[in-house]
Amino acid sequence: MLQQRIPSIIIKLFRSFMDISASYYKKEHETEMASIEETGDIITDILKQFVRNKSVLYRLITEDSFFMIMRIMTARPAGQQDINNNDHAYMLWKKNITEVLKVVDMNSEICQYIHQRRCCIDLLIRMWRENTAKGYLTNVDQQEIIMGLDIIYYQLRESAKIQFFGLFDEMIQASGYEALCDILRTGPFNEATIHAKMEIVNKIVELSFVGKISPIPSISDGLPYQHEDFTTPQPTGCTEKIVKNINAFQCLQLSFLYPFNASNIPNRHEFPTSLHIKLFNAIKETIEAHACNYFVIDCTNVLPQLIESMEKYDLEIQQSIMQLLSYIMVDLNFVPLKELAVLSLHLQSSSSGKLIGLICGYLEQLLKKSAKFFVVVQESGLINIMSLMLSDVTEKIQYKSEDDQFLNHALSNFDQIINCIITMLSIPMNAVIYKKTYRGNLFDLLQYPETRLGTLRLFESLSSQNYDLTLSSSISSNSSSNIDSSTSVEVGNAFSKVMEALQSVPRNDLEFRLEVLNTIKRIFKANGSTRDIFRRIGGYVSLVSMIVSLEGAFEEPERYINDHMNDVETVCNLITAVIQTIFLVLAESMHDHQVNKKYFLKDVGYSSLENAVMLTGALNDNHTARNIFGIFFGFALDDETVYELFLSPIEETSNEYKNEKAITIDILRSIDLVLKVPSAKVVNPEIMPSIVNLQKIISTIDAQLSHAILYAINALTQANRGNQVKLNSSGLVLVLLTRIFPSSSPGNGIPTNNPEERNTLLRILKNLLCMGINFEELRYMFRKFNMQNGRFDLSNSFGLLDLILEGASQNQWPNFIQFDMGANKHASLEIPELPNFPPNSPGYTLLSWVFIEQQDDISNLSLFSLYDLSNLVFKIYIDAETKQLRVYNVASKNDAIFKKIQFNTGAWYHIAIIHHRPRISVKFSSMDLYVNGEHIEQLSCSYITHPSQPSNVLKAVIGSLKDEHLTTSSQLIWNLGPMYLLQETLEKETISWFFSLGPRYKSLFQDSLRQFQTYEASASLLLTLKETTKPALSRRNSVQTQHLLASIIKNTHFQRVSENKILIALFACNVLADGARTGLTLTGLNEAAEMTIKTELDYSRLVLNAGISKLDLSIYSPKNMAYLVGEPIVAYPFGLDESLWKIGGCAVALKLIEQSESSETLYKSMTFLFSIIRYSWRNSEDMERHHGYEILAHLLKKKRELITEGILELLLVFIGKDPHSPENSIINNPLAYRYVVLNFEIWKKTPISVQKAQLDQFVLFLSTSKMSYFNSRRLPKIHLVKKVLLAFKMNVYSKELIPHLVTSLKVIMLSDWNTDSIRAVATFLASTLPKGNSLVTVANAFCSNFFIFFS
């Protein structure tokens, strides 16, 4: 019986130890066998063994002794009513009993007993209430609560494992969770108690994960919107972290909200921030512990309550609340419309506005994370709220009050608001909703410093929207439907507001000007259509006006000083930045926009910019002037990196002259590195005349800068052909002419430029003249000849005659299209459709004039390619490595290679490719290559296959598409002259004939082609045809030769090319562009055609196909036209010979010869005449039609005393003498030979050396030359023997030249041995015999002389 009572005795013994006085623990007891702690541990171990033993535990329950154990948890030492914070000795025993209770086997009987007896939870909660009733908690109280909570957690957790939930009900009935809330709220809050409360919070979190898993509610049901791919999370994975005890979670929720909903609690202490943060983190971590938790605790409305009261918390908690919202929307893929609705309350004008910045920041981040959220802001109404909020700001700011918290907070966070709105407006539907909801005038916000920058960015967003409907449809079907058709109008209106802001900027507000300009620049880059709006609403005038408004800014910068800028240097830098940005905006508005370029050039003018910059006073300061000219060159090249081109570091040295010289060398070296390279491309050449004009002004202020400017321009003209083309057409030539040969020169017209500057200007001009000269420029040049008494003083022309002469000798370039692969890797001409190609029989012919400027070993020159849809099927190209012509055909395994010729740089090639289609099989077809009229090689090359589908049409490409040049270092630059594709195979004679027309011929071979030939081309063609015509011609079949020559002259000997066989004919002059020197728009179109070009066609990129017979019809066949792709350069060089024809032609040159007063000027004048005739069929014809050679002979007869050997040599070379290979000399120009060289009156009084050279030319042409027989045939019906004999008889030549004369006469006789010539000589000899001799004597003398003469 005693043994059965041992457990009860031990329990009572354990309880008795608690009554020991606290002082006992402080004393030292020397005689004790064991310490009180050791004794407690022994008894605790005994009790643990009791509760682990099922029989003993059952007896404890039966005897209700287990209740005694539970009572120990709530017991206090006997006789002690108040325990202070330091009196905690008895807590040792409570700690031990806690350990005992935590090892109890919580089976169903024990759980039932504890629940029915209410011996644990109920007791503990009553103790907690007693502790909190005091209004404060001691350290002992806190420890008791923690141990009790530990026991409760253990019992609830273990009972849940056996599906016994009675204890959970008991916890609720006993208001245990409310008691825990009171505990957390009750102070005092020192370091120790806060730490204890944090432990309690941790236990409550653990308690929330204990209980029964309930079905996860589907809270998305019934919501107006939810992501299509959202699914309610299921209790899988780590289910231990799913909230099962909502009451415990609510305990955290209520405790966190305590300071704001429990103000009636007595003895209230200030709630510590650290504990507040701990509570929130506990809530946040609990929700994030498992994907199901948010949906489980949704019924508590915890997140809406947190959001609603968010502005009362500190920043850390506010940020955490927004992070929690982001977790739900991003990680859980759920749209919490309820929470978003509460969130929007903080964005309304009725709120304080404290959270505007925070909310907008997080919304912006969400929108950037996923495109889904663009629709979320629609469906949740946030886009409407943001629009209304901005409307309220627009309204309130006009009546600004210091007490308006919402407005103050909105203004302080205005940039964040704008960032959020701009991000929301990234899709069209949101922009539409915003515009419909916004009820204010956004332009009003530009008037206030706090809002104007943000408003500008909003205008920028609205102006630059380039909606991608594909993206919109991928986001949501709701967002892509019913897009407002007036979007472009709205964009235009928004951009117009930006321009209004530009025009309304106060004169002294430089910073805002800069912001507006940068905004406009960004809008241009984002939406190219705004460039048209900019032009239409007067944007260019506004830019110029803005510079004009800076009048005197650099001279009086003090007027711009304000609170933000308090020193002159800062002001000057800002003024420079404004001017620089104006030019950046100007350049961006013209980027790839020919209409704007021409509009500014014609309707505004660069002279206005020039004058405006001068008004600022920028040129009066050396450093500023260098910046300004750097800006000019940056605009010209559309490259910001050259803005500091003329700046150099200031080096301190004792020798100022050496310092300046060193700086100049540094600048010039920098210019060479930046501008004198092929990659330096002029984009806006129209600014260059203004640069030269301003350079003239700066030359008197800063000679170093003036020299550097001209050096830079010269570097650009030397960099590449494209720069020469653009600068030549910019009007720079005329400006340079007026500088070098000014109109208002003093005295006799001597130019006022210093020699060094004048020489540099001349070098620039000469570089540009190779690309031609127009009518006005040439007329100015001839007007500048110094006139004295109605005569030209050519000897005092100050280099003008030399310049004209050089221009005439070097600018015979044809119109061409340049493909620069370095500037654009896919520069090309594309023809969308080639109908009826390839022809079935007999084949086709491709004719092209090609000039290679630069080559490399990487980039192939794609001469002609064919595509079936996007598949390459045929390609003719020049291989980069071998420089040989190759042909790729999809039907062949290997390329066909023409190995007998390589194509190099620096020469025009006439390439003719004839592809024959055999009747048997396309595999047996052949291809012939002709270069410059000569047959090079014939290869076997498969014929072009027809498109894969009957409905398909082949596309032709000249140049390289995007995928052909993958390298970034391509240096290939080549020019395309006239190009033809004929549906016919040409004969070799016809190809030679076409080559002889030269690259400047641009027609369809339908006229009498002889008139388009120069003298040299005609003679060369005759020789070529003579050699190739069968049977071969010899001296003996002279009749056949004459018939051939006659047929050639009449143009009846050759194959005719029908116009309907010309599929493609492309000329650079057929580019449809609006300008003074550009193509077919000047040839007379009807009004309907002109309107079609200007409104329906991209006429700045279209090349008319001249193969279509009528121009009016061709513009309605756009798929058969060619289109410029990748910005190739179109050049229209007007040769000096062509321009001269407009102001008088050869008569002008003859006038110069007439006015020549020295051998030098005569030589130059004749060189000029011969240059304009030699390469121009039109001037050749003009010279013949107006008897120019007779006039030339008459003029030379008057000036024979000025004729030198050099002049005669010049004449002979013009006629056909080859000074390097005399044996190849040929009489190209029989008219000049007949009327000038054979006019013996000219040579009568010339020096003996000249007469000898004139006689020697007979030997050269009629004997030495390999073409002597041909040359003799070029002089029919001249009676040359008689002319020479007459000259001899009239003593034209000096006596010492008689042997030379006899030699020449012999050559002439032998070249054309006939009866008339013999009779003429006999008659001459008879007439020169002395009188009185007998008949026999006369006969003997005649025979003797005749023998001597021909011996």
Side-chain angles (χ1 to χ4, degrees):
M1 192 68 181
L2 180 62
Q3 293 177 351
Q4 296 177 352
R5 298 185 62 186
I6 288 176
S8 299
I9 295 172
I10 295 299
I11 293 171
K12 291 178 181 178
L13 178 63
F14 188 92
R15 169 66 182 82
S16 66
F17 280 108
M18 293 184 62
D19 294 331
I20 297 176
S21 172
S23 61
Y24 178 81
Y25 293 91
K26 298 178 182 179
K27 296 179 181 179
E28 295 183 1
H29 304 280
E30 299 178 356
T31 59
E32 62 184 12
M33 297 176 62
S35 67
I36 190 69
E37 289 83 359
E38 293 173 341
T39 304
D41 292 342
I42 293 171
I43 297 175
T44 301
D45 290 340
I46 294 172
L47 290 176
K48 286 182 178 180
Q49 295 298 324
F50 286 164
V51 298
R52 285 181 179 142
N53 189 290
K54 292 184 178 180
S55 60
V56 175
L57 182 59
Y58 181 75
R59 174 169 290 281
L60 289 175
I61 293 174
T62 305
E63 296 177 354
D64 206 19
S65 297
F66 191 79
F67 182 76
M68 293 177 61
I69 297 176
M70 297 301 301
R71 290 291 301 233
I72 294 174
M73 283 301 301
T74 61
R76 294 283 180 89
Q80 299 183 37
Q81 301 298 327
D82 189 18
I83 305 297
N84 59 39
N85 285 343
N86 297 321
D87 196 359
H88 57 274
Y90 76 97
M91 294 300 296
L92 172 65
W93 304 99
K94 286 198 172 188
K95 179 180 180 182
N96 290 338
I97 202 66
T98 301
E99 294 178 4
V100 172
L101 291 173
K102 288 173 64 177
V103 298
V104 174
D105 181 15
M106 296 294 293
N107 55 42
S108 59
E109 293 179 358
I110 296 299
C111 290
Q112 192 66 34
Y113 168 78
I114 293 174
H115 177 54
Q116 291 178 355
R117 191 71 176 83
R118 302 181 74 88
C119 61
C120 180
I121 295 176
D122 191 65
L123 289 176
L124 291 173
I125 292 174
R126 272 189 280 171
M127 182 188 70
W128 293 350
R129 293 198 177 282
E130 290 174 1
N131 290 338
T132 56
K134 298 180 298 183
Y136 65 93
L137 294 174
T138 64
N139 289 340
V140 173
D141 296 336
Q142 303 274 16
Q143 294 176 28
E144 287 181 335
I145 293 169
I146 291 172
M147 288 187 287
L149 186 57
D150 207 14
I151 293 172
I152 292 175
Y153 170 73
Y154 173 76
Q155 292 182 353
L156 292 177
R157 184 189 68 190
E158 297 301 316
S159 65
K161 291 179 180 179
I162 62 173
Q163 300 296 308
F164 183 84
F165 300 104
L167 297 181
F168 287 89
D169 297 334
E170 182 181 346
M171 185 71 177
I172 296 172
Q173 292 169 5
S175 302
Y177 299 110
E178 289 83 348
L180 285 173
C181 290
D182 292 339
I183 291 169
L184 292 175
R185 295 167 178 162
T186 304
F189 296 103
N190 53 44
E191 184 176 353
T193 58
I194 291 175
H195 180 72
K197 284 181 168 54
M198 288 184 177
E199 287 190 44
I200 296 172
V201 171
N202 291 336
K203 285 296 179 182
I204 297 174
V205 171
E206 294 178 5
L207 196 60
S208 65
F209 297 133
V210 175
K212 180 180 180 180
I213 298 180
S214 303
I216 307 303
S218 179
I219 63 176
S220 63
D221 295 343
L223 291 179
Y225 174 78
Q226 193 54 253
H227 294 313
E228 293 180 356
D229 57 347
F230 169 76
T231 56
T232 302
Q234 297 303 313
T236 58
C238 185
T239 57
E240 293 83 2
K241 292 297 182 179
I242 297 178
V243 173
K244 309 175 188 69
N245 190 344
I246 293 180
N247 293 287
F249 179 81
Q250 283 185 302
C251 178
L252 297 174
Q253 176 184 353
L254 294 172
S255 300
F256 177 77
L257 298 173
Y258 157 74
F260 316 108
N261 63 3
S263 58
N264 56 344
I265 295 179
N267 301 324
R268 182 182 176 195
H269 299 84
E270 183 178 355
F271 206 76
T273 302
S274 59
L275 182 57
H276 210 216
I277 294 174
K278 174 66 178 178
L279 280 168
F280 176 79
N281 289 337
I283 295 172
K284 183 173 179 289
E285 291 167 5
T286 301
I287 296 175
E288 294 177 350
H290 195 279
C292 293
N293 288 347
Y294 167 73
F295 302 95
V296 172
I297 58 90
D298 179 71
C299 59
T300 66
N301 286 327
V302 58
L303 192 52
Q305 290 182 18
L306 292 175
I307 295 173
E308 182 181 11
S309 57
M310 187 165 54
E311 70 175 27
K312 301 176 182 178
Y313 311 137
D314 63 3
L315 179 61
E316 182 179 353
I317 294 177
Q318 292 173 350
Q319 292 174 339
S320 296
I321 293 173
M322 294 305 300
Q323 291 170 4
L324 183 58
L325 184 62
S326 299
Y327 162 77
I328 295 168
M329 299 180 69
V330 177
D331 297 87
L332 300 185
N333 193 32
F334 181 74
V335 181
L337 293 176
K338 179 170 55 177
E339 285 83 349
L340 293 177
V342 177
L343 186 71
S344 66
L345 296 175
H346 295 289
L347 302 176
Q348 298 179 15
S349 59
S350 56
S351 69
S352 65
K354 293 180 180 179
L355 300 176
I356 289 177
L358 178 68
I359 295 174
C360 289
Y362 273 91
L363 287 178
E364 182 184 359
Q365 292 178 16
L366 280 174
L367 290 165
K368 290 180 179 178
K369 285 181 179 178
S370 173
K372 290 181 177 182
F373 298 119
F374 290 110
V375 185
V376 171
V377 297
Q378 291 177 26
E379 300 296 336
S380 63
L382 282 173
I383 183 67
N384 304 75
I385 294 297
M386 294 296 293
S387 179
L388 291 173
M389 177 178 65
L390 195 60
S391 301
D392 292 335
V393 171
T394 307
E395 182 179 350
K396 287 175 174 287
I397 198 171
Q398 300 179 39
Y399 312 99
K400 186 175 180 182
S401 171
E402 295 181 359
D403 299 333
D404 193 332
Q405 291 188 13
F406 170 80
L407 180 61
N408 293 334
H409 286 111
L411 293 179
S412 61
N413 295 282
F414 192 76
D415 288 340
Q416 196 66 59
I417 295 172
I418 295 300
N419 290 341
C420 183
I421 293 177
I422 289 174
T423 307
M424 287 181 175
L425 302 185
S426 298
I427 64 171
M429 182 57 72
N430 285 359
V432 172
I433 294 173
Y434 165 81
K435 293 168 187 174
K436 289 182 178 180
T437 310
Y438 182 74
R439 61 174 184 266
N441 185 359
L442 198 59
F443 187 74
D444 294 340
L445 294 177
L446 291 173
Q447 304 175 22
Y448 304 96
E450 304 96 323
T451 59
R452 62 187 185 184
L453 296 183
T455 306
L456 269 181
R457 289 191 292 112
L458 181 56
F459 274 131
E460 178 183 342
S461 174
L462 295 172
S463 303
S464 59
Q465 290 195 26
N466 192 5
Y467 299 136
D468 188 345
L469 298 181
T470 303
L471 173 64
S472 301
S473 60
S474 66
I475 294 171
S476 170
S477 59
N478 294 333
S479 64
S480 63
S481 60
N482 300 323
I483 300 296
D484 192 354
S485 60
S486 63
T487 298
S488 59
V489 177
E490 294 293 339
V491 170
N493 292 338
F495 185 70
S496 299
K497 294 296 183 182
V498 177
M499 292 307 303
E500 288 184 33
L502 177 66
Q503 296 163 357
S504 63
V505 177
R507 292 170 63 92
N508 296 337
D509 197 343
L510 298 177
E511 294 172 317
F512 188 45
R513 285 189 180 190
L514 197 58
E515 290 295 335
V516 176
L517 290 168
N518 283 322
T519 298
I520 295 173
K521 183 181 69 171
R522 291 191 294 267
I523 291 174
F524 285 155
K525 289 184 176 181
N527 189 343
S529 65
T530 54
R531 293 183 173 93
D532 293 306
I533 301 171
F534 180 78
R535 180 187 70 253
R536 290 196 294 266
I537 63 178
Y540 290 116
V541 176
S542 297
L543 290 181
V544 176
S545 300
M546 184 173 286
I547 301 178
V548 173
S549 68
L550 297 174
E551 181 178 358
F554 290 104
E555 298 170 345
E556 299 178 6
E558 298 83 5
R559 70 191 190 204
Y560 295 97
I561 292 178
N562 54 34
D563 296 337
H564 303 289
M565 300 178 294
N566 52 15
D567 62 280
V568 172
E569 183 179 358
T570 303
V571 171
C572 289
N573 290 338
L574 189 57
I575 297 171
T576 303
V578 170
I579 295 176
Q580 175 179 312
T581 311
I582 289 173
F583 277 87
L584 281 174
V585 171
L586 192 62
E588 193 62 42
S589 72
M590 298 178 182
H591 188 70
D592 293 340
H593 204 292
Q594 295 299 322
V595 175
N596 278 6
K597 274 190 174 186
K598 289 160 188 169
Y599 173 83
F600 186 85
L601 181 65
K602 291 182 177 181
D603 296 348
V604 181
Y606 284 90
S607 59
S608 60
L609 272 180
E610 180 184 330
N611 296 330
V613 171
M614 290 176 59
L615 289 175
T616 64
L619 303 186
N620 298 329
D621 178 76
N622 290 1
H623 180 76
T624 304
R626 291 173 182 270
N627 279 318
I628 295 299
F629 279 101
I631 292 170
F632 283 151
F633 275 86
F635 172 77
L637 275 71
D638 198 4
D639 184 359
E640 299 179 37
T641 61
V642 301
Y643 283 164
E644 299 181 358
L645 184 64
F646 300 107
L647 299 179
S648 60
I650 300 177
E651 302 176 4
E652 295 184 1
T653 180
S654 57
N655 193 324
E656 182 178 355
Y657 173 76
K658 290 183 178 180
N659 182 42
E660 289 184 0
K661 187 175 181 180
I663 291 175
T664 302
I665 293 174
D666 289 341
I667 293 176
L668 299 186
R669 187 181 295 114
S670 174
I671 290 172
D672 284 339
L673 292 174
V674 176
L675 301 184
K676 205 173 184 178
V677 292
S679 59
K681 313 291 184 183
V682 175
V683 178
N684 298 304
E686 298 82 6
I687 189 68
M688 207 57 70
S690 295
I691 293 178
V692 174
N693 292 336
L694 294 175
Q695 175 272 333
K696 181 179 180 181
I697 297 174
I698 204 67
S699 62
T700 60
I701 302 173
D702 188 344
Q704 181 192 82
L705 174 59
S706 173
H707 175 63
I709 293 168
L710 294 182
Y711 188 87
I713 298 174
N714 189 48
L716 286 175
T717 63
Q718 294 175 301
N720 53 68
R721 185 82 60 194
N723 288 353
Q724 292 178 346
V725 171
K726 293 179 180 179
L727 293 176
N728 179 281
S729 61
S730 68
L732 181 59
V733 171
L734 185 59
V735 173
L736 292 173
L737 287 172
T738 57
R739 285 285 302 278
I740 300 170
F741 309 102
S743 301
S744 56
S745 300
N748 61 354
I750 299 176
T752 57
N753 311 106
N754 66 69
E756 182 180 2
E757 179 181 272
R758 190 169 187 273
N759 290 335
T760 306
L761 291 171
L762 272 172
R763 286 196 296 272
I764 297 171
L765 183 58
K766 289 176 181 179
N767 290 336
L768 298 182
L769 286 181
C770 66
M771 284 294 103
I773 183 169
N774 64 27
F775 167 72
E776 300 232 347
E777 295 159 353
L778 187 61
R779 185 171 61 175
Y780 182 88
M781 292 175 70
F782 279 97
R783 284 179 174 177
K784 291 300 105 185
F785 279 112
N786 190 24
M787 296 288 293
Q788 291 183 354
N789 301 321
R791 297 179 59 84
F792 291 128
D793 184 7
L794 299 181
S795 62
N796 195 22
S797 63
F798 302 100
L800 180 57
L801 184 58
D802 294 329
L803 182 64
I804 293 175
L805 183 59
E806 184 166 352
S809 62
Q810 69 177 0
N811 60 3
Q812 284 83 37
W813 276 76
N815 295 344
F816 63 89
I817 299 174
Q818 184 178 87
F819 303 98
D820 186 346
M821 301 306 169
N824 196 310
K825 292 181 289 185
H826 55 274
S828 62
L829 266 176
E830 293 188 13
I831 305 170
E833 291 185 0
L834 282 183
N836 303 320
F837 191 83
N840 292 326
S841 181
Y844 66 90
T845 301
L846 177 69
L847 303 174
S848 293
W849 281 96
V850 175
F851 185 98
I852 304 174
E853 298 268 2
Q854 293 183 25
Q855 286 178 302
D856 57 26
D857 296 330
I858 301 172
S859 306
N860 297 332
L861 192 161
S862 300
L863 189 61
F864 182 72
S865 305
L866 293 175
Y867 288 82
D868 182 3
L869 297 179
S870 60
N871 301 316
L872 178 66
V873 296
F874 184 80
K875 179 178 178 181
I876 301 174
Y877 65 98
I878 298 175
D879 182 65
E881 293 185 3
T882 64
K883 310 300 185 287
Q884 296 171 339
L885 191 73
R886 296 191 176 203
V887 181
Y888 163 82
N889 193 322
V890 71
S892 303
K893 294 182 179 180
N894 299 316
D895 290 358
I897 305 174
F898 293 95
K899 299 180 179 180
K900 293 186 179 180
I901 188 171
Q902 289 184 333
F903 295 89
N904 300 309
T905 60
W908 279 101
Y909 291 99
H910 181 261
I911 300 175
I913 297 173
I914 303 175
H915 203 173
H916 303 273
R917 187 187 190 280
R919 296 181 180 179
I920 302 174
S921 172
V922 294
K923 294 182 179 180
F924 299 102
S925 65
S926 63
M927 179 176 285
D928 290 277
L929 171 65
Y930 292 79
V931 177
N932 294 342
E934 297 182 7
H935 184 261
I936 303 299
E937 192 173 356
Q938 184 182 70
L939 295 176
S940 175
C941 181
S942 298
Y943 201 66
I944 301 172
T945 58
H946 286 275
S948 57
Q949 299 293 331
S951 59
N952 293 352
V953 181
L954 293 178
K955 178 180 77 171
V957 176
I958 302 164
S960 302
L961 293 180
K962 294 181 179 180
D963 56 346
E964 292 191 50
H965 288 277
L966 303 180
T967 176
T968 57
S969 58
S970 175
Q971 298 179 0
L972 176 63
I973 303 175
W974 65 285
N975 307 326
L976 177 69
M979 182 264 183
Y980 303 87
L981 182 62
L982 312 178
Q983 292 178 306
E984 188 173 353
T985 56
L986 298 183
E987 300 172 355
K988 55 185 178 181
E989 295 84 5
T990 306
I991 292 176
S992 298
W993 178 255
F994 288 172
F995 163 69
S996 70
L997 297 175
R1000 294 208 283 182
Y1001 175 79
K1002 42 186 184 295
S1003 191
L1004 303 179
F1005 313 114
Q1006 301 303 305
D1007 300 320
S1008 176
L1009 300 183
R1010 187 179 66 86
Q1011 63 178 327
F1012 297 105
Q1013 289 184 313
T1014 61
Y1015 292 113
E1016 290 184 17
S1018 177
S1020 177
L1021 177 63
L1022 289 175
L1023 290 175
T1024 301
L1025 295 176
K1026 177 183 175 182
E1027 294 174 359
T1028 58
T1029 302
K1030 297 180 180 180
L1033 301 176
S1034 63
R1035 284 192 176 186
R1036 295 184 178 179
N1037 52 9
S1038 59
V1039 176
Q1040 188 174 357
T1041 303
Q1042 294 298 330
H1043 283 301
L1044 172 64
L1045 296 179
S1047 65
I1048 290 173
I1049 293 173
K1050 295 178 181 179
N1051 196 25
T1052 60
H1053 188 73
F1054 298 101
Q1055 170 190 12
R1056 303 286 296 183
V1057 178
S1058 175
E1059 189 172 358
N1060 59 13
K1061 293 291 185 179
I1062 302 177
L1063 185 60
I1064 296 177
L1066 299 178
F1067 316 120
C1069 61
N1070 282 5
V1071 174
L1072 283 182
D1074 188 13
R1077 301 174 58 184
T1078 52
L1080 288 179
T1081 52
L1082 304 178
T1083 59
L1085 292 174
N1086 60 49
E1087 294 183 1
E1090 288 185 355
M1091 185 58 63
T1092 301
I1093 290 174
K1094 294 180 179 179
T1095 58
E1096 298 182 17
L1097 299 178
D1098 185 4
Y1099 60 87
S1100 65
R1101 299 184 181 276
L1102 177 66
V1103 184
L1104 284 178
N1105 180 4
I1108 299 177
S1109 57
K1110 293 186 178 181
L1111 177 60
D1112 293 348
L1113 294 177
S1114 65
I1115 62 176
Y1116 295 105
S1117 304
K1119 292 185 178 181
N1120 303 136
M1121 300 296 108
Y1123 293 87
L1124 300 172
V1125 178
E1127 296 299 320
I1129 298 172
V1130 182
Y1132 311 92
F1134 275 74
L1136 189 145
D1137 50 0
E1138 293 182 344
S1139 296
L1140 185 69
W1141 186 76
K1142 297 180 180 180
I1143 65 171
C1146 296
V1148 177
L1150 291 171
K1151 183 67 175 178
L1152 293 178
I1153 294 174
E1154 181 187 11
Q1155 301 294 321
S1156 298
E1157 300 292 341
S1158 66
S1159 296
E1160 180 183 2
T1161 55
L1162 179 62
Y1163 180 88
K1164 292 177 181 179
S1165 299
M1166 291 184 64
T1167 302
F1168 175 62
L1169 173 65
F1170 297 155
S1171 296
I1172 64 172
I1173 296 174
R1174 186 174 184 182
Y1175 302 105
S1176 173
W1177 64 267
R1178 183 178 283 112
N1179 287 334
S1180 299
E1181 186 182 59
D1182 181 62
M1183 193 72 172
E1184 293 180 15
R1185 186 171 60 252
H1186 295 96
H1187 306 284
Y1189 295 109
E1190 292 96 317
I1191 296 172
L1192 174 62
H1194 174 74
L1195 295 175
L1196 291 178
K1197 188 185 303 182
K1198 291 183 176 181
K1199 299 181 181 294
R1200 50 192 168 194
E1201 70 277 2
L1202 302 179
I1203 297 177
T1204 62
E1205 289 184 73
I1207 293 175
L1208 177 58
E1209 180 71 9
L1210 176 67
L1211 175 61
L1212 294 176
V1213 169
F1214 168 66
I1215 289 172
K1217 178 182 177 180
D1218 188 340
H1220 304 292
S1221 301
E1223 66 276 8
N1224 294 326
S1225 299
I1226 179 175
I1227 298 178
N1228 295 323
N1229 192 334
L1231 284 177
Y1233 188 78
R1234 176 180 180 180
Y1235 290 112
V1236 182
V1237 176
L1238 300 184
N1239 189 331
F1240 296 97
E1241 287 294 320
I1242 298 175
W1243 318 109
K1244 186 173 183 179
K1245 294 182 180 181
T1246 56
I1248 294 177
S1249 59
V1250 175
Q1251 291 182 343
K1252 179 179 180 299
Q1254 195 269 343
L1255 290 172
D1256 290 344
Q1257 58 85 24
F1258 291 116
V1259 179
L1260 172 67
F1261 286 118
L1262 300 179
S1263 177
T1264 305
S1265 174
K1266 298 176 183 178
M1267 311 297 176
S1268 58
Y1269 176 74
F1270 178 80
N1271 290 339
S1272 66
R1273 299 284 77 89
R1274 300 282 278 175
L1275 305 172
K1277 300 180 182 180
I1278 293 181
H1279 303 294
L1280 184 54
V1281 174
K1282 292 182 180 179
K1283 284 180 174 287
V1284 174
L1285 291 173
L1286 179 62
F1288 180 53
K1289 186 175 182 180
M1290 297 181 66
N1291 298 320
V1292 171
Y1293 299 100
S1294 300
K1295 293 182 180 180
E1296 56 265 36
L1297 293 179
I1298 290 178
H1300 294 279
L1301 175 61
V1302 172
T1303 302
S1304 299
L1305 183 59
K1306 177 181 177 180
V1307 169
I1308 295 170
M1309 286 285 293
L1310 292 176
S1311 68
D1312 188 18
W1313 186 261
N1314 56 54
T1315 306
D1316 290 340
S1317 298
I1318 297 173
R1319 184 182 297 110
V1321 172
T1323 303
F1324 172 77
L1325 291 174
S1327 65
T1328 57
L1329 289 175
K1331 297 180 180 180
N1333 294 333
S1334 64
L1335 181 61
V1336 175
T1337 304
V1338 172
N1340 290 334
F1342 175 80
C1343 291
S1344 176
N1345 289 334
F1346 190 80
F1347 175 77
I1348 294 173
F1349 184 76
F1350 287 103
S1351 62

